[in-house]
Amino acid sequence: MLGLFFAQQFDYNSHLIDTLSRNSNSQYVLLSQITDISQGRKMNNDYAFWEREAYMRNFKIDFALFDSQTNDQVWSQHYSAEGIWPHKKTKIVNVNSEEFWRTDYGQKIQTIFNKVSQDLDSAVSCLTTSGKILMIDSDRVVINLGKSHGLESGQLLSILHRSNLTAANGMQFAHHIQTIEQVVVEQVNAQSAIARNISARPLSNIQLNDVIKVVVKEPELFTLE
């Protein structure tokens, strides 16, 4: 199944991306694949038989970030490093042990993970956050955005219908239709919120998983008299 994600072009199964998003209540899904942990060159001299054998080992890994609401790949990056492998080629080492992470090879891998964290923070900070409707109860909706996403009580939200288009090969393309419906946030939790219909008319044709976006008000124009 992982092969569906990690072809050269980072092909993916949109249904599985959607499942991961629902299970984790997340808009963005991060996938990774280690592509190379092969043994490299020998460090010590063959004639120095008294020395313990030491080899270089490669570590290469690919990351791809997907927006589950549009099925778009919004970020990807390849990372590689090389570190000294002090063990025999065939030795099985517990990668959860201090023995592994204290080696030069383990520290080089940790350096990559630190870089990934920095790169992800930078990439995600430029992306827009939107949510989806989890529950509908008369004139109120429960959404999967909350305090941790910067949502505040009183904010105005816009609703977009989610109506994906399916190609002949089964691949889905996100299709969102802007509605005239708007709701206002009246209760905010850490990972969710409850919003109320602000119109006198009932919410019409609103469905589960419809997209929610924060309404950004344009600055008011004024003139000096």
Side-chain angles (χ1 to χ4, degrees), residues 184-198:
V184 63
V185 178
E186 63 177 18
Q187 179 180 321
V188 185
N189 303 313
Q191 298 289 334
S192 63
I194 299 174
R196 172 179 47 82
N197 181 18
I198 64 173

Side-chain angles (χ1 to χ4, degrees), residues 15 164-173:
H15 296 292
N164 292 345
L165 304 177
T166 304
N169 61 1
M171 187 173 183
Q172 290 194 342
F173 298 90

Side-chain angles (χ1 to χ4, degrees), residues 1-6 11-32 64-69 71 132 134 144 162 209:
M1 183 174 291
L2 288 179
L4 295 176
F5 287 91
F6 300 110
D11 295 334
Y12 63 95
N13 183 317
S14 59
H15 296 292
L16 190 51
I17 290 287
D18 191 54
T19 299
L20 293 172
S21 172
R22 288 200 308 271
N23 291 344
S24 60
N25 193 27
S26 302
Q27 177 182 354
Y28 297 102
V29 175
L30 180 66
L31 304 176
S32 65
L65 184 69
F66 294 89
D67 186 338
S68 64
Q69 295 182 355
N71 293 333
K132 59 186 177 182
L134 302 177
N144 68 337
R162 181 173 179 175
N209 293 322

